[in-house]
């Protein structure tokens, strides 16, 4: 109890900073993990590694737009997109720097992760920003038009916005980055792109839907309560 009392209480601004940093960090990890196709023991690609954590950014986005509104959410999405773009460019530049012969194998493995270069970087940023923006926009519009603002309404707009946002994000990225048109080293077959988009979106939706009652709603209410108290409401 004494330790709990000594810990500093977080303000709503502190929560916004932490959530923004986590959002940007997960966004970067998504774009690195996406180079790992996952078949889950089948003969088709069901998803990529990035889709195993992409639901986190949508969960965070849902919290931010619920507490701080559409404008702040767009800022966070844009900041994360810029940060991811910058760091992926740095990664691509590192591939071009020579290494000692004894580290050739390690360098080859690193190079493979960034093998698609500009195509993957540009595709990921376009898909991520558009998908994130649409997710935020849907929540903002549904929140304004929904008469009741209870748990059910919260769950519906969070799940629906994730479904549409993730579907657009996944479809744009997979087609732009991996369509078999012969312009990059790593490309995928159309059947694998299609299955990855559909099944990946369903998995992401199911995971986040399970998180809404236990994480998204309680966290949003907790931060909103702190924010109201700070504003004297």
């Amino acid at each position: 109890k004494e330790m709990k009392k000594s810990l500093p209480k977080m303000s709503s601004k502190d929560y916004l900073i932490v959530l923004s940093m986590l959002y940007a960090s997960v966004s970067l990890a998504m774009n690195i993990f996406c180079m790992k196709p996952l078949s889950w023991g089948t003969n088709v690609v069901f998803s990529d590694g990035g889709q195993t954590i992409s639901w986190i950014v949508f969960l965070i986005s849902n919290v931010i737009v619920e507490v701080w509104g559409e404008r702040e959410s767009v800022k966070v999405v844009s900041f994360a997109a810029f940060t991811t773009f910058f760091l992926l460019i740095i990664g691509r530049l590192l591939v071009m720097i020579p290494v000692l012969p004894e580290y050739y194998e390690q360098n080859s493995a690193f190079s493979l992760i960034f093998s698609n270069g500009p195509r993957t970087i540009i595709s990921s940023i376009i898909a991520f920003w558009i998908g994130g923006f649409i997710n935020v926009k849907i929540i903002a519009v549904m929140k304004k038009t929904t008469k009741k603002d209870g748990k059910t309404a919260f769950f519906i707009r969070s799940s629906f916005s994730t479904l549409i946002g993730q579907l657009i994000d996944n479809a744009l990225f997979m087609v732009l980055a991996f369509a078999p048109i012969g312009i990059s080293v790593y490309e995928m077959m159309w059947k694998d792109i299609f299955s990855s988009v559909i099944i990946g979106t369903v998995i992401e939706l199911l995971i986040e839907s399970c998180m809404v009652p236990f994480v998204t709603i309680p966290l949003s209410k907790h931060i909103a309560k702190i924010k109201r108290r700070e504003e004297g409401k």
Side-chain angles (χ1 to χ4, degrees), residues 85-100:
F85 177 76
F86 175 74
L87 293 175
L88 289 177
I89 289 294
I90 295 298
R92 183 59 185 171
L93 292 175
L94 290 174
V95 171
M96 302 167 63
I97 300 176
V99 297
L100 295 172

Side-chain angles (χ1 to χ4, degrees), residues 9-20 64 68 219 222-223 226:
K9 292 184 178 180
M10 292 180 65
S11 65
S12 60
K13 185 177 180 180
D14 293 332
Y15 274 105
L16 180 58
I17 292 173
V18 171
L19 290 173
S20 300
I64 293 175
W68 289 278
L219 183 58
H222 175 68
I223 301 174
I226 294 174

Side-chain angles (χ1 to χ4, degrees), residues 76-196:
V76 173
V77 172
S78 300
F79 169 74
F82 173 78
T83 303
T84 301
F85 177 76
F86 175 74
L87 293 175
L88 289 177
I89 289 294
I90 295 298
R92 183 59 185 171
L93 292 175
L94 290 174
V95 171
M96 302 167 63
I97 300 176
V99 297
L100 295 172
E102 54 264 38
Y103 298 107
Y104 177 78
E105 185 176 346
Q106 179 182 345
N107 188 62
S108 297
F110 182 85
S111 301
L112 184 62
I113 299 299
F114 295 92
S115 61
N116 274 27
R119 182 180 179 184
T120 302
I121 295 172
I122 294 172
S123 300
S124 65
I125 298 306
I126 292 175
F128 173 77
W129 194 89
I130 292 178
F133 178 79
I134 289 176
N135 176 67
V136 169
K137 195 68 179 178
I138 290 175
I139 293 178
V141 171
M142 290 184 70
K143 191 173 182 180
K144 290 179 181 178
T145 56
T146 303
K147 294 181 180 180
K148 296 183 179 180
D149 197 30
K151 292 183 179 180
T152 302
F154 194 127
F155 181 85
I156 291 174
R157 60 176 175 262
S158 294
S159 300
F160 182 71
S161 64
T162 295
L163 171 63
I164 304 301
Q166 289 279 26
L167 182 61
I168 292 174
D169 185 339
N170 291 337
L172 278 175
F173 176 69
M174 295 302 294
V175 172
L176 293 175
F178 303 122
I181 53 179
I183 64 173
S184 59
V185 177
Y186 175 55
E187 295 184 337
M188 298 171 64
M189 293 183 288
W190 282 110
K191 68 179 183 65
D192 291 333
I193 291 176
F194 179 78
S195 64
S196 178

Side-chain angles (χ1 to χ4, degrees), residues 3 6 10 23 35 40 46 55 62 72 79 85 89 97 101 126 140 142 145 148 150 171 173 178 207 211 220:
M3 185 177 178
S6 64
M10 292 180 65
Y23 189 101
M35 292 301 290
W40 304 101
F46 274 140
W55 58 271
N62 291 345
E72 204 66 43
F79 169 74
F85 177 76
I89 289 294
I97 300 176
I126 292 175
M142 290 184 70
T145 56
K148 296 183 179 180
F173 176 69
F178 303 122
I207 294 174
M211 292 293 177
S220 297

